[in-house]
Amino acid sequence: LNLISMMGLIIVVGMLVDDAIVITENAQSFIEDGHSPEEAAILGTQNIWSPVTASVMTTVIVFAPMMFMTGIFGKFIYYIPVAVIVSLLVSLWECFFVLPHHLATWVRIKKSSISGSFFTTKVWQPFMVRPYRSILGGVIKLRYVVLLLVLGMFAGSMYLAVKHVGFILFPPGAVDAFRIDFKAKTGTSLAETERLIAPYEDLVAALPADELKHYTSTIGRQGMEDMRNMKRGSEYAQTAVYLTDELTRSRDTATIMNDLKTKIKMPEGLEVANFRQIRGGPPVGDPVNIGVRGQSYDRILLAVQEIEDELANIKGVANIENSYIKGKGEIHVKVKEAEAAAASLSLQDIGMAIRAAFEGIIATSIRSVDEEIDLRVTLNQAQRSKENTLADIQIPNRRGHLISLTRVAEWQDSSGISVYEHEDNRRQVTVTANVDAKITNSRAVNLRMKEKMKELETKYRQLSFHFGGEDKDTKESMASLRTSFMFALFGILLMLILLFKNLYQPLIVATTIPLGIMAVTVAFFMHQRTFSFLAMIGIIALSGVIVNNAIVLLDFINRGRRAGLDRRESLKQAACKRLRPICLTTITTTAGILPTVYGIGGYDPFVVPLAMALGWGVLGGAFLTTLVLPAIIAIVDDIIMLFAFLTRRGVSS
């Protein structure tokens, strides 16, 4: 078992008892009709096996496509559908083959079982069923008004989702850790870099004991989440800070990071000190990642500078960097060919003299008993470090004269490029940045930058601009989830068509899915959370769970109508009869899932979005289903009767 498979078990922890509740409730109704426990167990199971099987299979169908998602995200969530599907199938087998035996063996008929228990007659009927039946009558009577209100609520929830809730692929905060990335001046030694970051280490070490677990510093290397972004060099360093569990401290990770930023001024010699919160989940790119491709670095860097300036003007954007990294200082020596020829010196002579001065040359070897030791002659360290060392170099020519290097060459200081980045056979410089989720989000920033790219594409026609990082990962993951959802929706409709043997009732059942999405959106808005990849997984899972109540409700309505009840009475009786199992299954599901959201018994922020989407979606969706679904069924009945009337009128005419 791992964390991901445990998330799958969290999803089904409340759902596993739902089918058992439905079968037990159905068997109870047969006991109240005078059947023995043995007969009630058999009849209660046989009477409802089709809708129960369909309700389980809809959930299985929803999760099955997730097993075939590709890429890193497919591997990441693979164990969620495996855990859910296996658990549900085993639960279904238990309900059909084990539960009836338990009912027949343990249930004993009492007088109250036939006449009704105290709770049923004194509490449930007067305080729940009767008020609900009255409300249901009003809902059916004002069914078109109810439909308009629901459509308005759905439109409002979509507005909340787009404008206020937002989307972050994997929100920060799932891991109680952050890192500080340092960069000193190019060419700084390891020892000097270690000295420069010491004040930051002291600040980290001074954090309270209830906040700091431990920290580690690495000199000469930077990067830990993505090997593509690994940087190596004596000027780089990194301090990884691991905090205690967020529930045990008063300050969150972002607050601690911001407090450390304000407590120290950057030491002289240190150019960069960026704070980055470590994310949970699979490795994803930076919130902002823009690649500029072209053939000339001069043009690329001009565009890069404009991109960085634009990002700097966006509130909430921090740690703006680019991948153009200069190498160590270099001295370029250019030989004066005419003067060198006049002095009887070749390019090889000049190059060997410079190399001998700085790298050394093997003058001779000393033989010992079992080895040969080379003697290398070079300038001493002090001379090699002097700025005018090249001016002092004397080069012997073929005539035996010493020629000063200043007569035959000139030189200038320069620097190379540490890393050459190429994409699509073109040079590329990548601009990256982080986003403060409390102020803005990566989607909003990337949308603004895409507008800026249109301007830059016109200005720099020989360059191309490409968005990567979280923007690219979000598109890939959402495309994969969208495909899974479409397969799941098609599978649910196919299953329901086989159950109901018509087309319109499966569509009625499908209308409960938007009701659940409305509840999820409002819950995330009220909790001030953003949608994420795992929240989307929870919504897809919700689409397979929330239809269960509608399936059984429609099955009871169909039975009532086959027994001779009219459309309105069959609707009211079925809704009232299904009210108790709907309440019970909703309570068991939410009671099994929502404690995870609020840390009752333990807290893992990584799992919270999934549990919140499923828990509040089931709770709010079930409440809306008991009120809205009867109105929708009544409207469909009106449409069917209208078509029947028009058909009869057409035939008679």
Side-chain angles (χ1 to χ4, degrees):
L1 291 176
N2 55 27
L3 175 62
I4 309 304
S5 60
M6 293 303 295
M7 289 166 62
L9 295 178
I10 288 173
I11 292 174
V12 298
V13 68
M15 297 159 48
L16 293 178
V17 299
D18 290 356
D19 300 324
I21 290 174
V22 173
I23 292 175
T24 304
E25 280 281 325
N26 202 38
Q28 175 68 22
S29 65
F30 282 101
I31 291 176
E32 293 176 357
D33 290 339
H35 292 84
S36 66
E38 292 80 5
E39 294 174 337
I42 296 173
L43 293 173
T45 304
Q46 290 179 343
N47 185 258
I48 205 169
W49 75 271
S50 294
V52 168
T53 302
S55 65
V56 171
M57 293 309 299
T58 54
T59 309
V60 170
I61 289 170
V62 163
F63 281 94
M66 297 183 194
M67 299 173 62
F68 303 99
M69 290 178 63
T70 58
I72 185 65
F73 297 103
K75 295 179 180 179
F76 176 72
I77 68 167
Y78 175 78
Y79 292 101
I80 293 179
V82 169
V84 171
I85 291 172
V86 172
S87 301
L88 287 176
L89 292 179
V90 172
S91 173
L92 187 64
W93 174 84
E94 195 277 342
C95 287
F96 286 156
F97 298 101
V98 179
L99 181 62
H101 174 267
H102 292 166
L103 291 174
T105 303
W106 295 339
V107 173
R108 293 292 179 266
I109 297 178
K110 298 180 180 179
K111 185 176 181 180
S112 60
S113 299
I114 299 175
S115 61
S117 65
F118 175 82
F119 175 79
T120 302
T121 57
K122 301 297 184 182
V123 179
W124 182 258
Q125 289 292 337
F127 292 103
M128 291 294 293
V129 177
R130 290 173 190 168
Y132 174 65
R133 188 179 180 91
S134 299
I135 294 172
L136 195 60
V139 166
I140 294 174
K141 185 177 180 180
L142 302 173
R143 52 192 176 277
Y144 293 99
V145 176
V146 171
L147 180 60
L148 290 176
L149 287 175
V150 171
L151 291 176
M153 291 169 58
F154 183 74
S157 67
M158 292 300 98
Y159 175 81
L160 285 179
V162 174
K163 295 296 184 180
H164 297 283
V165 178
F167 181 88
I168 300 177
L169 194 61
F170 284 95
V175 178
D176 296 316
F178 65 92
R179 75 179 203 232
I180 314 174
D181 293 340
F182 303 100
K183 183 184 180 301
K185 293 181 179 179
T186 302
T188 304
S189 65
L190 291 173
E192 179 65 11
T193 302
E194 183 179 3
R195 184 189 68 80
L196 290 173
I197 72 168
Y200 286 89
E201 290 184 304
D202 294 339
L203 274 180
V204 171
L207 287 173
D210 63 338
E211 293 182 347
L212 178 65
K213 185 181 294 182
H214 66 275
Y215 69 95
T216 59
S217 292
T218 305
I219 313 296
R221 188 188 70 189
Q222 188 181 103
M224 58 191 303
E225 297 171 1
D226 190 343
M227 291 300 293
R228 293 175 299 176
N229 295 331
M230 184 70 71
K231 298 176 182 178
R232 298 179 185 275
S234 59
E235 67 269 27
Y236 292 104
Q238 172 184 285
T239 298
V241 184
Y242 300 92
L243 304 175
T244 57
D245 191 281
E246 190 167 337
L247 293 179
T248 64
R249 46 189 164 90
S250 58
R251 299 191 298 173
D252 59 19
T253 305
T255 303
I256 295 174
M257 289 170 54
N258 293 330
D259 183 55
L260 290 177
K261 288 180 187 178
T262 59
K263 282 187 175 180
I264 188 171
K265 295 181 179 180
M266 191 174 298
E268 185 177 352
L270 197 63
E271 296 181 345
V272 176
N274 287 336
F275 288 72
R276 303 177 185 271
Q277 189 168 354
I278 299 175
R279 298 185 176 193
V284 295
D286 294 290
V288 179
N289 183 299
I290 305 172
V292 184
R293 300 176 190 173
Q295 299 298 334
S296 169
Y297 275 119
D298 293 336
R299 301 292 291 174
I300 291 175
L301 293 177
L302 289 175
V304 165
Q305 185 60 52
E306 291 197 39
I307 292 173
E308 291 181 340
D309 292 342
E310 182 70 17
L311 287 172
N313 292 328
I314 302 176
K315 190 175 181 180
V317 176
N319 299 339
I320 303 170
E321 297 178 331
N322 66 69
S323 61
Y324 184 80
I325 303 173
K326 290 186 177 181
K328 295 181 179 180
E330 300 174 351
I331 298 177
H332 289 187
V333 179
K334 185 177 181 180
V335 176
K336 303 174 185 177
E337 295 184 3
E339 286 81 349
S344 300
L345 290 175
S346 65
L347 289 175
Q348 183 179 6
D349 295 332
I350 297 172
M352 288 185 63
I354 296 174
R355 181 176 182 179
F358 289 92
E359 185 178 326
I361 189 171
I362 298 175
T364 186
S365 300
I366 300 175
R367 289 185 176 275
S368 63
V369 177
D370 56 352
E371 63 178 339
E372 186 175 354
I373 303 173
D374 295 330
L375 294 182
R376 183 178 295 273
V377 179
T378 183
L379 295 176
N380 60 38
Q381 182 64 40
Q383 290 175 309
R384 293 200 301 270
S385 302
K386 291 169 58 179
E387 293 184 2
N388 60 348
T389 297
L390 287 174
D392 296 337
I393 293 178
Q394 303 290 320
I395 308 171
N397 63 8
R398 287 189 291 270
R399 300 173 185 175
H401 298 152
L402 294 176
I403 308 298
S404 174
L405 181 62
T406 57
R407 289 182 51 190
V408 296
E410 57 186 14
W411 54 88
Q412 61 182 5
D413 294 334
S414 181
S415 61
I417 300 175
S418 178
V419 177
Y420 287 87
E421 182 182 354
H422 288 82
E423 285 285 344
D424 196 23
N425 294 321
R426 305 178 76 190
R427 291 175 175 176
Q428 174 173 282
V429 175
T430 303
V431 181
T432 59
N434 287 339
V435 172
D436 187 347
K438 295 181 178 179
I439 300 175
T440 184
N441 56 68
S442 63
R443 182 177 179 275
V445 175
N446 281 301
L447 286 176
R448 176 168 170 176
M449 294 308 299
K450 286 176 181 177
E451 292 297 320
K452 179 67 176 179
M453 293 309 105
K454 294 178 181 178
E455 174 188 330
L456 295 181
E457 285 172 353
T458 303
K459 185 176 181 180
Y460 302 97
R461 296 186 180 276
Q462 66 274 43
L463 303 180
S464 60
F465 304 87
H466 305 268
F467 283 80
E470 186 174 315
D471 184 69
K472 180 181 178 182
D473 293 337
T474 299
K475 289 180 179 178
E476 292 176 352
S477 63
M478 294 308 295
S480 185
L481 281 176
R482 194 159 45 244
T483 302
S484 296
F485 182 75
M486 294 307 296
F487 273 105
L489 188 60
F490 176 78
I492 290 174
L493 291 175
L494 183 60
M495 173 65 64
L496 297 180
I497 290 172
L498 293 174
L499 175 66
F500 293 115
K501 298 181 178 62
N502 57 55
L503 291 176
Y504 69 90
Q505 286 187 330
L507 295 177
I508 293 174
V509 173
T511 59
T512 59
I513 296 176
L515 300 180
I517 294 175
M518 288 167 49
V520 173
T521 303
V522 173
F524 272 71
F525 175 74
M526 296 298 293
H527 288 79
Q528 297 183 341
R529 285 186 170 271
T530 56
F531 286 131
S532 64
F533 181 76
L534 289 174
M536 293 297 105
I537 295 292
I539 291 175
I540 293 176
L542 175 67
S543 65
V545 176
I546 199 171
V547 299
N548 296 346
N549 292 326
I551 291 172
V552 181
L553 177 60
L554 273 172
D555 183 72
F556 271 69
I557 292 173
N558 292 338
R559 293 182 190 183
R561 292 176 179 178
R562 287 195 296 267
L565 295 176
D566 62 29
R567 294 179 180 274
R568 295 293 180 263
E569 187 59 29
S570 63
L571 178 54
K572 292 179 181 179
Q573 281 196 17
C576 293
K577 187 177 291 186
R578 290 298 306 154
L579 181 61
R580 184 165 65 175
I582 287 175
C583 291
L584 288 175
T585 55
T586 301
I587 291 171
T588 55
T589 302
T590 55
I593 295 175
L594 287 183
T596 305
V597 177
Y598 302 105
I600 301 174
Y603 184 77
D604 188 343
F606 189 69
V607 185
V608 167
L610 189 151
M612 180 178 289
L614 189 55
W616 280 108
V618 169
L619 183 60
F623 173 76
L624 292 173
T625 297
T626 57
L627 297 176
V628 178
L629 190 62
I632 295 175
I633 296 172
I635 292 173
V636 173
D637 288 341
D638 292 344
I639 296 173
I640 293 173
M641 293 176 66
L642 176 62
F643 271 101
F645 172 76
L646 294 176
T647 303
R648 288 195 301 269
R649 185 175 180 181
V651 171
S652 62
S653 63

